[in-house]
Amino acid sequence: MLDSNKTWPQYAAVMTALIAMVNAGIHFGWPSPSVPKILSSEYKFNITSSEASYITIIGPFGDIFGSILYPSLIDHIGRKKTILLIAIPQITSMGLVYFSFLSKYLLYVARFIGGLAEAACFTILPVYIGEVSEPNVRGVLGSLFSLVFILGVFIVNIIGSYVTIHTAALLFIILPVTFACLFSRMPESPYYLIMKSNLQEAESSLRALRRRDDVRQELERLVGDVNRQMSEPGSYKDLYRIQSNRMACLIMFGLRVFQQLSGTTAISLYMQIIFAKSTDVMAKDLASILIFGLQLSVNFTAVLIVDKIGRKPLLVISCIGCACNLATLGLYFTLQEVVRMNLARVNFLPLACVVFFTISFAIGQGNVVNLMTSEMFSSSIKAKATCLMNILFALFMMSTTKFFQLTADSFGMFVPFFFFALCQIVGALFSYYIVPETKGKSLEEIQQKLKKT
């Protein structure tokens, strides 16, 4: 008889599912080392700067379609089966990148299909993580979501910088295959099984996740929570009609918007180009690897402190830190591009600012926003809410990336940096006055708090 609770099975289930998120990070970060390659003579076909920007941002178009498709599946075939389906577009995407030596247009298709998988990861994985985790470990497990995403970005910047895009694509196919093999052995979410009135399997799932024989008390509590949440209307209109849903949408939509208005996507995708234009302190590929390695380390630190410091303080600190470093970058490029000042003595500054921007972003917005996605919505509306959230996320990801490219090319690099800095100041105020603290609360307790807000 196993009487005491174990948490390692929850870690095993979440970490196995998050292999898909590593590959999403690889897809997201692919342009950083790859765009300079496809713009050079190394690539077989002639690619213009404009074409490269569209290859970069077509991935979020896939995010939009994936955000519509996958939420409709998770309540019908289940969290586990829908997550397993992520492997198909991930394998297909990298396969098409490999075969892009036949036609450059395969890169567009590959990025779009990869976006479908990325949307599935952002839509489904937070739901699964929140539902298989107990409150005392949910903060850590939810934070791993961001950590492994950055791990994927880090991996693609290392491998992608030193091998051809075709060789890299073959290597990256290994991950989704491994993910599908391992995750197929993990349990289904007990929340989903309760939603389908399959209490016997829900009890078996809880036993596997808690590594404990007697889970009747927790099962009865979850049945009550899920039944109450499912008794609420669950249409798209109810996201705005019901007080708790409306408040959750305001909070999470706001956090997603300000997360992208930090310019993090544009900076990540154009990082090697930014360094090439501003500094010769170190090679652009080494600089980008350093930045993403640092982001990986900071995200790991955030995993350890998010349940100690809390979500809200980390968000405020993150926004303020991002604003300061973005403003400094804006000032640097103003002096370089407008004043034409010789900045040779301080040409380390762009690298330093991106380093501290990375730390600031990772400690809060890069970690907490994804974690809170798994906490804020009730079972009746979670799929639809995450669908809209990820559409919004994709739209702003495309918009900020294209905004960066257009304003930097037309007016100067200083314009987007000053704009993003201003947005982060507003984001800090939003986080301080609007965002609630969810540390240590069960999913039901969070819902009750939102009703009283």
Side-chain angles (χ1 to χ4, degrees):
M1 290 286 290
L2 296 171
D3 297 321
S4 59
N5 221 42
K6 308 287 185 184
T7 58
W8 68 261
Q10 298 168 57
Y11 279 85
V14 169
M15 288 300 295
T16 307
L18 287 177
I19 297 174
M21 198 64 195
V22 176
N23 214 53
I26 289 171
H27 171 265
F28 175 84
W30 181 87
S32 181
S34 302
V35 166
K37 290 180 183 293
I38 65 176
L39 288 173
S40 71
S41 58
E42 176 182 327
Y43 192 60
K44 179 180 178 181
F45 302 102
N46 181 40
I47 302 286
T48 67
S49 176
S50 178
E51 286 176 322
S53 75
Y54 284 111
I55 290 171
T56 297
I57 67 172
I58 201 169
F61 274 107
D63 281 32
I64 293 173
F65 284 89
S67 296
I68 296 170
L69 171 65
Y70 283 99
S72 64
L73 294 176
I74 62 174
D75 285 343
H76 287 88
I77 66 173
R79 280 56 164 156
K80 179 179 174 179
K81 290 179 181 178
T82 310
I83 291 172
L84 281 170
L85 289 176
I86 295 172
I88 297 174
Q90 288 185 336
I91 293 170
T92 304
S93 175
M94 284 302 162
L96 290 172
V97 170
Y98 174 77
F99 285 108
S100 68
F101 63 83
L102 299 175
S103 170
K104 65 182 180 180
Y105 297 107
L106 289 179
L107 289 177
Y108 292 89
V109 182
R111 292 289 295 162
F112 179 84
I113 293 175
L116 294 175
E118 187 177 332
C121 290
F122 277 97
T123 302
I124 306 163
L125 292 178
V127 175
Y128 183 79
I129 293 169
E131 292 181 352
V132 302
S133 308
E134 295 175 284
N136 62 315
V137 296
R138 194 178 64 240
V140 172
L141 292 178
S143 298
L144 290 174
F145 180 91
S146 300
L147 178 67
V148 300
F149 182 74
I150 298 303
L151 175 61
V153 178
F154 182 59
I155 290 171
V156 74
N157 271 270
I158 293 177
I159 296 177
S161 294
Y162 298 106
V163 302
T164 67
I165 65 170
H166 307 297
T167 301
L170 284 179
L171 294 173
F172 295 146
I173 287 176
I174 296 172
L175 272 177
V177 173
T178 303
F179 152 71
C181 294
L182 294 178
F183 187 68
S184 62
R185 302 175 63 86
M186 295 299 114
E188 175 61 274
S189 158
Y191 273 75
Y192 169 75
L193 295 169
I194 293 170
M195 286 168 59
K196 296 300 179 181
S197 301
N198 197 337
L199 299 186
Q200 186 173 355
E201 285 194 29
E203 185 173 358
S204 297
S205 174
L206 280 173
R207 284 176 177 168
L209 289 167
R210 308 298 185 248
R211 198 66 178 170
R212 182 161 50 91
D213 288 329
D214 184 12
V215 293
R216 292 297 300 175
Q217 186 175 355
E218 182 178 5
L219 178 64
E220 290 173 2
R221 178 178 60 78
L222 289 181
V223 168
D225 292 349
V226 172
N227 287 341
R228 188 206 62 76
Q229 292 175 27
M230 293 303 296
S231 67
E232 296 177 344
S235 69
Y236 280 103
K237 290 181 180 179
D238 295 309
L239 283 169
Y240 307 99
R241 286 177 177 171
I242 297 175
Q243 165 73 10
S244 56
N245 292 340
R246 187 166 61 248
M247 196 63 197
C249 284
L250 169 65
I251 293 164
M252 292 312 304
F253 288 9
L255 287 177
R256 273 295 187 208
V257 168
F258 286 117
Q259 183 191 52
Q260 284 305 302
L261 288 176
S262 69
T264 181
T265 299
I267 291 171
S268 296
L269 299 183
Y270 287 101
M271 187 171 293
Q272 293 198 17
I273 293 174
I274 292 171
F275 288 143
K277 288 185 176 181
S278 63
T279 182
D280 58 1
V281 173
M282 66 173 65
K284 64 182 186 301
D285 52 353
L286 290 177
S288 64
I289 291 170
L290 167 67
I291 295 299
F292 290 118
L294 176 65
Q295 193 169 3
L296 183 64
S297 301
V298 176
N299 267 274
F300 179 74
T301 303
V303 169
L304 302 178
I305 65 175
V306 69
D307 274 336
K308 296 179 180 178
I309 296 179
R311 283 60 156 162
K312 186 169 183 171
L314 289 176
L315 284 170
V316 174
I317 292 169
S318 176
C319 289
I320 293 172
C322 287
C324 292
N325 287 285
L326 289 165
T328 305
L329 279 168
L331 178 60
Y332 180 91
F333 283 108
T334 299
L335 296 175
Q336 182 189 66
E337 298 172 342
V338 180
V339 182
R340 305 291 182 182
M341 184 180 294
N342 184 353
L343 300 174
R345 292 185 178 180
V346 291
N347 72 342
F348 64 88
L349 199 58
L351 178 60
C353 285
V354 174
V355 165
F356 287 110
F357 169 85
T358 299
I359 294 172
S360 300
F361 181 82
I363 204 72
Q365 295 180 87
N367 175 57
V368 174
V369 177
N370 294 325
L371 166 59
M372 292 186 70
T373 301
S374 68
E375 299 178 323
M376 297 296 291
F377 298 103
S378 71
S379 298
S380 64
I381 208 72
K382 191 173 292 185
K384 293 179 176 63
T386 53
C387 166
L388 294 180
M389 270 190 61
N390 281 285
I391 290 173
L392 186 72
F393 174 70
L395 288 172
F396 271 84
M397 190 159 57
M398 286 188 295
S399 300
T400 55
T401 302
K402 194 63 181 175
F403 173 81
F404 183 92
Q405 183 253 322
L406 288 175
T407 53
D409 289 351
S410 302
F411 306 106
M413 198 79 78
F414 65 95
V415 174
F417 284 121
F418 277 134
F419 173 77
F420 292 140
L422 178 62
C423 291
Q424 287 301 283
I425 294 172
V426 180
L429 295 172
F430 178 86
S431 298
Y432 184 81
Y433 288 105
I434 304 297
V435 177
E437 182 57 72
T438 60
K439 179 182 73 172
K441 294 180 173 63
S442 70
L443 299 182
E444 177 64 15
E445 287 172 336
I446 295 169
Q447 287 303 304
Q448 295 303 319
K449 182 173 183 178
L450 289 171
K451 288 180 181 296
K452 298 174 183 176
T453 305

